[in-house]
Amino acid sequence: MTYSIRKAAVIGAGTMGGGIAAHLANIGIPVVLLDMVPPNLSEAEKNDPKARNRIVQSLYDRMAKARPANLARKDRGDLITLGNLEDDFELLADCDWIVEVIIEQLAPKQALMERIEAVRKPGSIISSNTSGIPINQIADGRSDEFKAHFLGTHFFNPPRYLKLLEVIPTPDTAPEVVDFMVQFGRETLGKGVVVCKDTPNFIANRFIAIVGSYLAEYALENGYSITEVDTITGPLVGHPKTATFRLTDLVGLDVMMHVNSNLYPAIPHDPYRDILKGEKSTTLNEKMAANKWLGNKTGQGFYKKVMVNGNREFHTINPNTLEYFNPPKARFDSVGAVRKIEELGERLRKLLEFDDRAANFVRDTTYTMLAYAAYVTPEIAYSIVDVDNANRWGFAHEAGPFEIWDMLGVAETIEKMEAAGHEVADWVKEMVSSGHESFYKDGRFYDFQTKQYSPVPIDEKNITVAGLHEAGKEVTRNDSASLLDMGDGVLLFEFHAKMNAIDDQIIALGHEALARLDSDFDAMVIGNDADNFCVGANLFAVGVAAASGMWDDLNKMIHGLQSLTFNLQHAPKPVVTAVQGMALGGGVEMALAGWETVAAHESYMGLVEVGVGLIPAGGGCKELLRHRINPVMKTANADVLPVLQDVFTQVATAKVGESAWQNKELGYLRDSDMIVMNADHRLAQAKARALQLVAIGAPPPEAEKIYAAGRDALYALKLGVQGFVWGNYASEHDQVISNKLAHVLTGGDLSTGTWVDPWYILDLEREAFLSLLGEEKTRERMTHMLTTGKPLRN
């Protein structure tokens, strides 16, 4: 049977259910979202459809208003049909996939499955999002056909943003249903999919509940402060900045406590389970929960935001007194010595050579994590790869436990773990004694079932820059960028400067890339493996040059960037950019420096230069005029001012698109540009699109003239800015910057609206940028951003 998901249903409109519905709608799949009828309706309300849908409507409204946004753009909500479980159950009849997200109790879930079976169409897929109830029990009593199409699909919250999707088949689930859901999850939902065994809390939550509980108890037992723990357990060890206690505040202390309390009775066989009830952490959690100090959603948890003399501060709780205080920065000799080491394995190895509080914390908690991974993996997972992927995708860890073990050296770490009193699972010691020295080797992983190496599963649609480097595909490089051969005649232009910030070396290699494209390749892709495509120009280098009065060099550099983006955009052979994460300032300009763009759904693009007292100067203004103004002015008798004011406000307020769809609305992407849900697929899709353009003999984009609105529009924009200054909404320097921006976007002091050569606008961009660099207040803003990471209003 061939499966497809053309319409879906989600039953349970709470935080998770509403998020799943939104994610499906973002993709373009119509969704039915159902929840219960409110209890105790009045007689007048019992026949009122609006009153009967009050719960689902209120939950939908909460989902739609949540930040970060669940909906990629507001109109995606139009794909969600709201209803209740009494009046609208028949809406499930034509759904291809029905997801259950109701209360975590077995009996209600089983009763719901009985009702679903009575209305569903044959062949439709049913899944449960439970994390604490055995999947196989939920379908008890259902027909064989129902059971063959039933499985677990465990999303992580928020479903739009977190990458992990755990798929949990039962012994009765048809293999083809599992295969379809894995493919659908990966390619359509854009997830990293792990197939789990049907065990309590599956892989990710089972693992993190034990490891996280041990970490918290160890910290409290040994007198570590909240700040110390989060300093140690964040990026230093390859984890996000939320680290440990900030993450608990984000998730919710009540959620974490609920997971632990449900897991404890479900794993009586697990020798580590008493960690879930650590005395000090349990006592602290219960006191905080009693005070409703649950984290971000209640305004305070382990952290509390306070205003002191008009400044925002984050105070932390004292676990002993439950009082909040402004903590000093945590400093450790070991952390200071290793924090600039970029490679995680080297950083951890160097860190563990120290003997201070930070190194001891990392040593003990890491050894516990490795020991538990070795113990629990055969129970919960089919391979070590799934455990590593679940940790990386579920919690944004840089590496999973077995990858970290390899970094530290398996055999020598076993010795250190056992010497410290940690028990290492027999299968790991057997692996080493049989001559297998690492968990991963040459693209293979150690299979604890066959006791041999097996190939690591490969997603053919995932091309990585790291893989190209490892395969020796490098053509040339400098300190900030590389050119690589992607195969099939496609060249890759990769940035690898810090934060992928544009500097003179990226610009220089970009011009070389154009020459190589002309002589040796058929097409080019611009992209990289980083979390963020490009955060803009190297602000430090620009600031130093301006402070040193190197105006000729700055003019040359900016002109070089403008020439690069323009020539890439109009290259004689196809150039496709591949965007992900943040593309800010010059990152937007580089994203548009191609014939087309392939953008990951989670791309956040914006021309944000005004935040440091500048305006876009690499073609950003020109491109917004081309994308937003030109189409309007090609219509007879069109009024330019409303859309021009919108564009001006967008740049003047540094508006950033919150999804690839919003990026299109803002003009940072073209309507024709491709959006991919799975960011891992963007390079392969960009390469495929470039080759398609080659195959059809597509001509280069023409150098389109730009509509410049002229003097009247310029004065209108300036008058609007003056109003903000009079109202004390903008400073005098804000006015200087905004007037420069208005000058560029209108074409300056032209007597009337006219079509101009694109280089006319580019020259205005460059002139305004250099002029603003000469302003002392702009340089103050740049310095403040570099030192604090925050904008300055002066």
Side-chain angles (χ1 to χ4, degrees):
M1 180 176 180
T2 301
Y3 296 97
S4 63
I5 307 296
R6 294 180 296 273
K7 182 180 179 182
V10 178
I11 303 176
T15 300
M16 181 63 79
I20 294 171
H23 189 62
L24 291 167
N26 288 338
I27 297 165
I29 297 174
V31 189
V32 174
L33 181 61
L34 304 182
D35 212 295
M36 62 187 293
V37 174
N40 304 319
L41 289 174
S42 69
E43 287 300 320
E45 291 176 324
K46 286 182 178 178
N47 294 316
D48 180 358
K50 186 175 181 180
R52 294 175 68 82
N53 278 352
R54 184 182 298 143
I55 288 178
V56 71
Q57 185 67 57
S58 65
L59 291 171
Y60 172 85
D61 292 343
R62 185 180 71 179
M63 177 277 291
K65 294 175 183 177
R67 308 296 298 176
N70 289 297
L71 294 169
R73 62 185 190 194
K74 289 182 180 180
D75 65 356
R76 287 296 169 177
D78 298 340
L79 290 170
I80 301 176
T81 300
L82 304 183
N84 67 71
L85 290 167
E86 294 181 17
D87 306 326
D88 304 300
F89 210 73
E90 72 280 358
L91 294 177
L92 306 181
D94 62 343
C95 291
D96 303 299
W97 180 24
I98 302 168
V99 188
E100 170 269 306
V101 202
I102 66 169
I103 189 170
E104 284 288 271
Q105 295 178 10
L106 180 58
K109 291 180 184 290
Q110 290 178 332
L112 179 61
M113 294 304 152
E114 183 176 5
R115 291 187 65 193
I116 291 173
E117 183 164 26
V119 301
R120 65 177 281 267
K121 65 181 181 180
S124 61
I125 296 171
I126 310 94
S127 69
S128 173
N129 189 67
T130 183
S131 62
I133 297 176
I135 298 297
N136 65 86
Q137 292 182 17
I138 296 173
D140 276 355
R142 306 280 58 80
S143 68
D144 290 345
E145 197 274 342
F146 184 100
K147 290 180 178 179
H149 292 86
F150 177 76
L151 73 169
T153 51
H154 183 218
F155 288 82
F156 279 63
N157 191 42
R160 172 182 164 185
Y161 297 98
L162 291 194
K163 185 171 181 177
L164 179 61
L165 172 62
E166 293 178 320
V167 169
I168 312 98
T170 75
D172 299 312
T173 309
E176 59 269 24
V177 172
V178 180
D179 292 343
F180 169 77
M181 288 306 296
V182 169
Q183 181 182 15
F184 178 78
R186 181 185 300 126
E187 297 185 3
T188 305
L189 299 177
K191 299 299 180 184
V193 182
V194 170
V195 178
C196 308
K197 293 181 179 179
D198 190 5
T199 57
N201 283 33
F202 314 128
I203 295 177
N205 280 346
R206 171 73 172 276
F207 186 79
I208 206 68
I210 297 290
V211 173
S213 296
Y214 179 82
L215 190 153
E217 185 68 12
Y218 181 90
L220 296 174
E221 281 187 346
N222 291 279
Y224 288 84
S225 71
I226 303 302
T227 304
E228 285 180 322
V229 173
D230 280 356
T231 297
I232 297 168
T233 61
L236 175 72
V237 295
H239 294 180
K241 291 181 179 178
T242 46
T244 298
F245 291 110
R246 282 192 184 277
L247 179 62
T248 301
D249 277 359
L250 180 64
V251 172
L253 179 64
D254 55 335
V255 174
M256 185 271 288
M257 293 174 67
H258 177 74
V259 169
N260 287 2
S261 63
N262 281 356
L263 179 59
Y264 184 84
I267 53 171
H269 59 283
D270 191 330
Y272 289 79
R273 79 163 181 162
D274 285 340
I275 290 172
L276 298 169
K277 291 191 173 183
E279 181 179 354
K280 287 186 176 294
S281 56
T282 298
T283 300
L284 175 61
N285 292 343
E286 289 175 348
K287 288 179 179 179
M288 292 176 63
N291 289 334
K292 299 192 183 303
W293 298 346
L294 305 178
N296 296 359
K297 60 187 173 185
T298 59
Q300 66 188 93
F302 290 101
Y303 289 82
K304 181 181 180 180
K305 182 172 68 174
V306 298
M307 300 301 295
V308 178
N309 298 324
N311 296 316
R312 184 177 60 176
E313 294 181 355
F314 287 95
H315 291 190
T316 59
I317 198 167
N318 182 321
N320 298 314
T321 66
L322 297 188
E323 296 175 341
Y324 289 89
F325 68 103
N326 190 13
K329 284 192 174 182
R331 299 188 184 279
F332 305 95
D333 290 342
S334 58
V335 175
V338 306
R339 64 185 179 86
K340 292 186 178 180
I341 299 174
E342 292 190 9
E343 199 270 318
L344 175 61
E346 182 184 357
R347 189 164 67 245
L348 289 175
R349 290 191 297 272
K350 293 287 187 183
L351 178 66
L352 295 181
E353 292 175 2
F354 284 80
D355 183 19
D356 65 3
R357 282 168 58 78
N360 293 338
F361 187 101
V362 173
R363 182 180 298 107
D364 192 273
T365 56
T366 298
Y367 288 171
T368 300
M369 173 192 71
L370 300 181
Y372 189 63
Y375 163 76
V376 80
T377 291
E379 177 191 341
I380 65 176
Y382 293 101
S383 76
I384 63 170
V385 178
D386 290 334
V387 174
D388 283 341
N389 284 340
N391 277 272
R392 286 191 289 104
W393 294 337
F395 310 115
H397 291 180
E398 190 174 334
F402 296 104
E403 292 169 319
I404 289 173
W405 209 334
D406 272 356
M407 293 174 187
L408 298 178
V410 178
E412 61 191 86
T413 302
I414 290 175
E415 292 182 10
K416 294 175 181 178
M417 289 167 66
E418 292 185 327
H422 296 276
E423 185 175 345
V424 178
D426 289 340
W427 71 267
V428 176
K429 292 190 286 187
E430 181 184 344
M431 178 189 84
V432 174
S433 65
S434 64
H436 301 102
E437 298 178 350
S438 60
F439 293 104
Y440 293 91
K441 182 179 180 181
D442 300 328
R444 298 174 296 156
F445 71 95
Y446 182 78
D447 187 334
F448 53 78
Q449 298 178 89
T450 65
K451 301 181 180 180
Q452 298 293 329
Y453 286 109
S454 297
V456 174
I458 295 175
D459 180 356
E460 297 293 341
K461 294 185 177 180
N462 182 6
I463 295 176
T464 67
V465 179
L468 294 174
H469 279 290
E470 291 171 5
K473 299 297 183 180
E474 189 174 289
V475 176
T476 188
R477 66 173 290 141
N478 59 31
D479 289 341
S480 299
S482 295
L483 302 181
L484 300 111
D485 187 346
M486 298 183 80
D488 303 311
V490 180
L491 179 67
L492 177 67
F493 178 23
E494 175 214 6
F495 312 151
H496 47 70
K498 184 176 181 179
M499 295 294 288
N500 286 340
I502 299 169
D503 58 15
D504 54 355
Q505 294 202 60
I506 285 178
I507 295 170
L509 201 65
H511 285 289
E512 182 173 344
L514 279 165
R516 298 266 188 168
L517 174 65
D518 186 52
S519 60
D520 303 324
F521 292 88
D522 299 320
M524 179 162 62
V525 169
I526 302 175
N528 54 67
D529 275 348
D531 291 338
N532 299 310
F533 175 74
C534 176
V535 298
N538 185 321
L539 199 59
F540 178 77
V542 171
V544 168
S548 303
M550 301 169 64
W551 301 111
D552 288 342
D553 289 342
L554 281 166
N555 183 64
K556 182 178 179 181
M557 184 186 79
I558 299 164
H559 189 274
L561 176 60
Q562 291 178 329
S563 298
L564 176 62
T565 57
F566 186 87
N567 291 335
L568 285 167
Q569 197 172 75
H570 304 289
K573 297 177 183 178
V575 176
V576 179
T577 60
V579 178
Q580 78 288 349
M582 290 190 293
L584 305 178
V588 171
E589 293 163 332
M590 288 303 303
L592 290 170
W595 291 21
E596 296 182 8
T597 298
V598 172
H601 186 268
E602 300 309 324
S603 299
Y604 316 111
M605 303 175 70
L607 295 170
V608 298
E609 287 87 349
V610 294
V612 291
L614 298 168
I615 71 160
C621 295
K622 182 259 294 183
E623 284 302 288
L624 277 189
L625 292 173
R626 188 166 75 91
H627 290 174
R628 303 274 315 269
I629 304 298
N630 277 14
V632 172
M633 298 315 295
K634 289 176 181 177
T635 302
N637 302 316
D639 183 1
V640 71
L641 196 56
V643 66
L644 182 61
Q645 288 173 324
D646 189 43
V647 170
F648 173 77
T649 301
Q650 177 179 316
V651 181
T653 59
K655 184 173 180 59
V656 176
E658 296 179 351
S659 70
W661 295 110
Q662 283 195 10
N663 295 335
K664 285 192 175 188
E665 293 175 353
L666 295 172
Y668 299 139
L669 294 174
R670 311 162 189 85
D671 288 340
S672 59
D673 285 337
M674 182 186 302
I675 296 174
V676 294
M677 294 303 299
N678 192 327
D680 291 343
H681 294 169
R682 68 190 181 280
L683 289 175
Q685 293 281 20
K687 176 185 175 182
R689 181 55 183 157
L691 290 173
Q692 286 178 345
L693 293 170
V694 172
I696 64 176
E702 294 181 9
E704 185 179 353
K705 286 196 171 185
I706 308 299
Y707 186 82
R711 183 188 305 156
D712 290 347
L714 172 61
Y715 292 161
L717 294 181
K718 284 187 172 183
L719 182 60
V721 173
Q722 184 65 64
F724 275 93
V725 175
W726 285 335
N728 293 319
Y729 296 111
S731 69
E732 290 185 0
H733 192 56
D734 290 330
Q735 184 175 25
V736 171
I737 300 163
S738 297
N739 285 345
K740 295 282 186 182
L741 175 63
H743 187 84
V744 174
L745 290 177
T746 58
D749 197 29
L750 299 172
S751 59
T752 187
T754 188
W755 295 87
V756 299
D757 186 271
W759 273 99
Y760 177 84
I761 302 296
L762 289 170
D763 289 341
L764 291 180
E765 283 186 14
R766 190 170 68 259
E767 177 186 325
F769 188 90
L770 290 169
S771 172
L772 287 168
L773 276 177
E775 297 277 349
E776 182 180 351
K777 288 185 179 295
T778 283
R779 294 197 297 274
E780 288 175 359
R781 292 189 179 195
M782 293 171 68
T783 301
H784 191 268
M785 178 63 75
L786 286 168
T787 54
T788 70
K790 299 175 183 178
L792 172 69
R793 299 299 299 276
N794 58 351

